[in-house]
Amino acid sequence: MPDLLTRLQESVGFVRAKISLNPVIAIILGSGLGPFADALEKATSVRTSDIPHYPRSTVEGHSGELVFGKIHGKDILAVKGRVHYYEGYSMEQVTYAVRMMHFLGIRSLIVTNAAGGLNPRFSPGDLMFITSHLNYFFDNPLRGINLDSLGPRFPDMEEDYDRAYIDMAEAIALELKVRTQRGVYCAHSGPTYETKSEVKMFQKMGVDAVGMSTIPEVIVARHQGMRVLGISCITNLGTGISATPLSHEEVTETANRVKESFQNLISEIIRKM
Ligand code: HPA
């Protein structure tokens, strides 16, 4: 198999030949948040299954597509159907799209996910701006030989989620009267939801929302020097807090319910980015 840089260049070459847009902003759409891509104007969609070397997604309801289109006159890349670690992929595969973004010229990444709320003040349907994260994958996409041309060996994670973006996004949410929170996101490999004991532990550690994605992509984005805005859609309350057992249906139902306010918020954020 060719090395990662060669594979990335082949993948990006394939995509470039199909598109005429030059986005500098990208968004990764989490569970149930895919419909945002349908709102893009003058869109060209590239199926990830057609892209050489791109990992295949196996999860129901996750059609893998890179959608290039416009919002408020700005070129955007939307990644629909992310590849998850719990599907059995390596960290390199999980972050492949973000690596491609570097070669596509992306400078700002909005990363979204569905997450369980652990903060007792949160309600399902809230949108949470991620201020920092706790990496409970016990793995890191930068482990191994460093690609010096892409970023440093030991990247600083102080400004992991861009503070100016959070302030700007919060002001927009206030104007749009969309209920938002700020908080710390924690993710683990999944695919099991957390046990009651894990929820208690995470709460004690200061975690506000928990999920199974996002952190690997953010690590790679920061390695490449991209500015990151992270938004969790709180689709349910965590195990033991929620009165009912957790299910993927509840997650997609809530994400579907907030679809409109999520889309309005994101498109206004993009306008100001
Ligand atoms: N835990 C982990 N991942 C999730 C949850 C949760 O409660 N809800 C949506 N994704």
Side-chain angles (χ1 to χ4, degrees), residues 147-204:
L147 300 172
D148 295 331
S149 59
L150 301 188
R153 170 72 293 186
F154 300 109
D156 173 53
M157 291 295 281
E158 211 273 314
E159 186 91 347
D160 42 2
Y161 298 83
D162 195 285
R163 282 188 218 115
Y165 276 172
I166 296 175
D167 291 345
M168 177 261 280
E170 225 166 36
I172 292 169
L174 210 63
E175 252 171 55
L176 295 177
K177 297 191 171 57
V178 174
R179 187 179 146 104
T180 62
Q181 310 280 359
R182 276 184 184 212
V184 174
Y185 174 78
C186 172
H188 54 85
S189 72
T192 45
Y193 289 115
E194 304 68 41
T195 65
K196 305 188 276 299
S197 315
E198 285 163 345
V199 162
K200 279 190 195 146
M201 173 186 72
F202 287 144
Q203 282 178 316
K204 283 197 177 129

Side-chain angles (χ1 to χ4, degrees), residues 114-117 188 192-194 210-212 233 235-239 246 251:
H188 54 85
T192 45
Y193 289 115
E194 304 68 41
V210 63
M212 306 174 192
C233 172
T235 51
N236 56 280
L237 298 178
T239 311
L246 304 194
V251 169

Side-chain angles (χ1 to χ4, degrees), residues 44-58:
T44 307
S45 167
V46 183
R47 275 205 310 262
T48 58
S49 55
D50 292 338
I51 302 173
H53 313 301
Y54 199 100
R56 313 276 171 261
S57 180
T58 61

Side-chain angles (χ1 to χ4, degrees), residues 64-233:
E65 277 173 79
L66 302 188
V67 186
F68 293 82
K70 282 181 177 284
I71 278 192
H72 302 307
K74 283 192 173 165
D75 295 359
I76 301 295
L77 159 60
V79 180
K80 210 174 153 186
R82 64 148 61 85
V83 173
H84 291 87
Y85 193 67
Y86 59 73
E87 295 174 73
Y89 295 113
S90 65
M91 280 286 170
E92 182 184 292
Q93 288 172 311
V94 168
T95 56
Y96 197 79
V98 184
R99 284 295 186 212
M100 280 180 66
M101 285 175 196
H102 173 80
F103 295 96
L104 287 165
I106 301 297
R107 299 307 304 145
S108 300
L109 176 65
I110 304 172
V111 55
T112 68
N113 59 47
L118 304 195
N119 184 319
R121 287 180 298 128
F122 289 5
S123 311
D126 285 353
L127 300 177
M128 183 189 89
F129 297 119
I130 305 175
T131 53
S132 188
H133 70 226
L134 280 183
N135 180 3
Y136 261 67
F137 282 92
F138 302 113
D139 198 352
N140 191 304
L142 304 185
R143 197 171 154 265
I145 293 167
N146 186 52
L147 300 172
D148 295 331
S149 59
L150 301 188
R153 170 72 293 186
F154 300 109
D156 173 53
M157 291 295 281
E158 211 273 314
E159 186 91 347
D160 42 2
Y161 298 83
D162 195 285
R163 282 188 218 115
Y165 276 172
I166 296 175
D167 291 345
M168 177 261 280
E170 225 166 36
I172 292 169
L174 210 63
E175 252 171 55
L176 295 177
K177 297 191 171 57
V178 174
R179 187 179 146 104
T180 62
Q181 310 280 359
R182 276 184 184 212
V184 174
Y185 174 78
C186 172
H188 54 85
S189 72
T192 45
Y193 289 115
E194 304 68 41
T195 65
K196 305 188 276 299
S197 315
E198 285 163 345
V199 162
K200 279 190 195 146
M201 173 186 72
F202 287 144
Q203 282 178 316
K204 283 197 177 129
M205 295 191 312
V207 171
D208 298 293
V210 63
M212 306 174 192
S213 68
T214 302
I215 290 175
E217 292 124 310
V218 170
I219 290 173
V220 166
R222 291 301 301 137
H223 182 240
Q224 295 169 171
M226 289 157 61
R227 294 177 71 185
V228 174
L229 176 68
I231 309 176
S232 291
C233 172

